[in-house]
PDB file of all heavy atoms in Angstrom:
ATOM      1  N   GLU X 197     276.456 129.704 255.573  1.00  0.00           N
ATOM      2  CA  GLU X 197     277.113 130.625 256.536  1.00  0.00           C
ATOM      3  C   GLU X 197     277.521 131.961 255.791  1.00  0.00           C
ATOM      4  O   GLU X 197     277.416 132.958 256.385  1.00  0.00           O
ATOM      5  CB  GLU X 197     278.452 129.879 257.026  1.00  0.00           C
ATOM      6  CG  GLU X 197     277.998 128.855 258.167  1.00  0.00           C
ATOM      7  CD  GLU X 197     279.186 128.249 258.846  1.00  0.00           C
ATOM      8  OE1 GLU X 197     280.372 128.747 258.688  1.00  0.00           O
ATOM      9  OE2 GLU X 197     278.837 127.273 259.600  1.00  0.00           O
ATOM     10  N   ALA X 198     277.952 131.844 254.540  1.00  0.00           N
ATOM     11  CA  ALA X 198     278.343 133.083 253.901  1.00  0.00           C
ATOM     12  C   ALA X 198     277.238 133.904 253.526  1.00  0.00           C
ATOM     13  O   ALA X 198     277.370 135.248 253.537  1.00  0.00           O
ATOM     14  CB  ALA X 198     279.032 132.644 252.511  1.00  0.00           C
ATOM     15  N   LEU X 199     276.030 133.413 253.271  1.00  0.00           N
ATOM     16  CA  LEU X 199     274.863 134.192 253.058  1.00  0.00           C
ATOM     17  C   LEU X 199     274.323 134.913 254.220  1.00  0.00           C
ATOM     18  O   LEU X 199     273.452 135.943 254.001  1.00  0.00           O
ATOM     19  CB  LEU X 199     273.712 133.396 252.272  1.00  0.00           C
ATOM     20  CG  LEU X 199     274.049 132.786 250.907  1.00  0.00           C
ATOM     21  CD1 LEU X 199     272.743 132.202 250.332  1.00  0.00           C
ATOM     22  CD2 LEU X 199     274.472 134.087 249.919  1.00  0.00           C
ATOM     23  N   ALA X 200     274.596 134.580 255.289  1.00  0.00           N
ATOM     24  CA  ALA X 200     273.847 134.993 256.476  1.00  0.00           C
ATOM     25  C   ALA X 200     273.875 136.525 256.829  1.00  0.00           C
ATOM     26  O   ALA X 200     272.928 137.045 256.967  1.00  0.00           O
ATOM     27  CB  ALA X 200     274.447 134.303 257.812  1.00  0.00           C
ATOM     28  N   PRO X 201     275.114 137.180 256.688  1.00  0.00           N
ATOM     29  CA  PRO X 201     275.050 138.637 256.760  1.00  0.00           C
ATOM     30  C   PRO X 201     274.247 139.369 255.804  1.00  0.00           C
ATOM     31  O   PRO X 201     273.421 140.291 256.205  1.00  0.00           O
ATOM     32  CB  PRO X 201     276.550 139.039 256.579  1.00  0.00           C
ATOM     33  CG  PRO X 201     277.345 137.766 256.836  1.00  0.00           C
ATOM     34  CD  PRO X 201     276.478 136.604 256.325  1.00  0.00           C
ATOM     35  N   ARG X 202     274.179 138.994 254.519  1.00  0.00           N
ATOM     36  CA  ARG X 202     273.367 139.605 253.553  1.00  0.00           C
ATOM     37  C   ARG X 202     271.855 139.382 253.969  1.00  0.00           C
ATOM     38  O   ARG X 202     271.025 140.238 253.793  1.00  0.00           O
ATOM     39  CB  ARG X 202     273.668 138.877 252.258  1.00  0.00           C
ATOM     40  CG  ARG X 202     273.038 139.471 251.051  1.00  0.00           C
ATOM     41  CD  ARG X 202     273.751 140.651 250.438  1.00  0.00           C
ATOM     42  NE  ARG X 202     272.887 141.608 249.843  1.00  0.00           N
ATOM     43  CZ  ARG X 202     272.223 141.281 248.632  1.00  0.00           C
ATOM     44  NH1 ARG X 202     272.558 140.249 247.940  1.00  0.00           N
ATOM     45  NH2 ARG X 202     271.434 142.176 248.043  1.00  0.00           N
ATOM     46  N   ILE X 203     271.529 138.211 254.429  1.00  0.00           N
ATOM     47  CA  ILE X 203     270.109 137.952 254.821  1.00  0.00           C
ATOM     48  C   ILE X 203     269.743 138.742 255.992  1.00  0.00           C
ATOM     49  O   ILE X 203     268.641 139.267 256.082  1.00  0.00           O
ATOM     50  CB  ILE X 203     269.969 136.519 255.181  1.00  0.00           C
ATOM     51  CG1 ILE X 203     270.452 135.407 254.035  1.00  0.00           C
ATOM     52  CG2 ILE X 203     268.658 136.082 255.897  1.00  0.00           C
ATOM     53  CD1 ILE X 203     269.305 135.170 253.101  1.00  0.00           C
ATOM     54  N   GLU X 204     270.623 139.061 256.923  1.00  0.00           N
ATOM     55  CA  GLU X 204     270.414 139.957 257.973  1.00  0.00           C
ATOM     56  C   GLU X 204     270.119 141.335 257.547  1.00  0.00           C
ATOM     57  O   GLU X 204     269.115 141.932 257.974  1.00  0.00           O
ATOM     58  CB  GLU X 204     271.492 139.918 259.065  1.00  0.00           C
ATOM     59  CG  GLU X 204     271.606 138.640 259.837  1.00  0.00           C
ATOM     60  CD  GLU X 204     272.574 138.727 260.990  1.00  0.00           C
ATOM     61  OE1 GLU X 204     273.553 139.573 260.934  1.00  0.00           O
ATOM     62  OE2 GLU X 204     272.385 137.967 261.980  1.00  0.00           O
ATOM     63  N   GLU X 205     270.841 141.818 256.572  1.00  0.00           N
ATOM     64  CA  GLU X 205     270.618 143.081 255.921  1.00  0.00           C
ATOM     65  C   GLU X 205     269.267 143.273 255.257  1.00  0.00           C
ATOM     66  O   GLU X 205     268.492 144.173 255.520  1.00  0.00           O
ATOM     67  CB  GLU X 205     271.718 143.374 254.882  1.00  0.00           C
ATOM     68  CG  GLU X 205     273.057 144.045 255.300  1.00  0.00           C
ATOM     69  CD  GLU X 205     274.010 144.009 254.078  1.00  0.00           C
ATOM     70  OE1 GLU X 205     273.435 144.179 252.954  1.00  0.00           O
ATOM     71  OE2 GLU X 205     275.078 143.779 254.354  1.00  0.00           O
ATOM     72  N   LEU X 206     268.938 142.223 254.563  1.00  0.00           N
ATOM     73  CA  LEU X 206     267.742 142.244 253.881  1.00  0.00           C
ATOM     74  C   LEU X 206     266.525 142.202 254.736  1.00  0.00           C
ATOM     75  O   LEU X 206     265.545 142.601 254.264  1.00  0.00           O
ATOM     76  CB  LEU X 206     267.667 141.047 252.762  1.00  0.00           C
ATOM     77  CG  LEU X 206     268.760 141.135 251.618  1.00  0.00           C
ATOM     78  CD1 LEU X 206     268.850 139.759 250.912  1.00  0.00           C
ATOM     79  CD2 LEU X 206     268.210 142.283 250.562  1.00  0.00           C
ATOM     80  N   THR X 207     266.463 141.420 255.717  1.00  0.00           N
ATOM     81  CA  THR X 207     265.340 141.101 256.597  1.00  0.00           C
ATOM     82  C   THR X 207     265.294 142.058 257.731  1.00  0.00           C
ATOM     83  O   THR X 207     264.138 142.121 258.341  1.00  0.00           O
ATOM     84  CB  THR X 207     265.342 139.633 257.056  1.00  0.00           C
ATOM     85  OG1 THR X 207     266.535 139.534 257.858  1.00  0.00           O
ATOM     86  CG2 THR X 207     265.290 138.618 255.862  1.00  0.00           C
ATOM     87  N   GLY X 208     266.535 142.591 258.177  1.00  0.00           N
ATOM     88  CA  GLY X 208     266.469 143.416 259.463  1.00  0.00           C
ATOM     89  C   GLY X 208     266.402 142.549 260.525  1.00  0.00           C
ATOM     90  O   GLY X 208     266.207 142.859 261.710  1.00  0.00           O
TER      91      GLY X 208
END
Side-chain angles (χ1 to χ4, degrees):
E197 288 187 7
L199 290 189
R202 185 84 209 292
I203 300 280
E204 287 189 333
E205 270 171 35
L206 289 165
T207 60

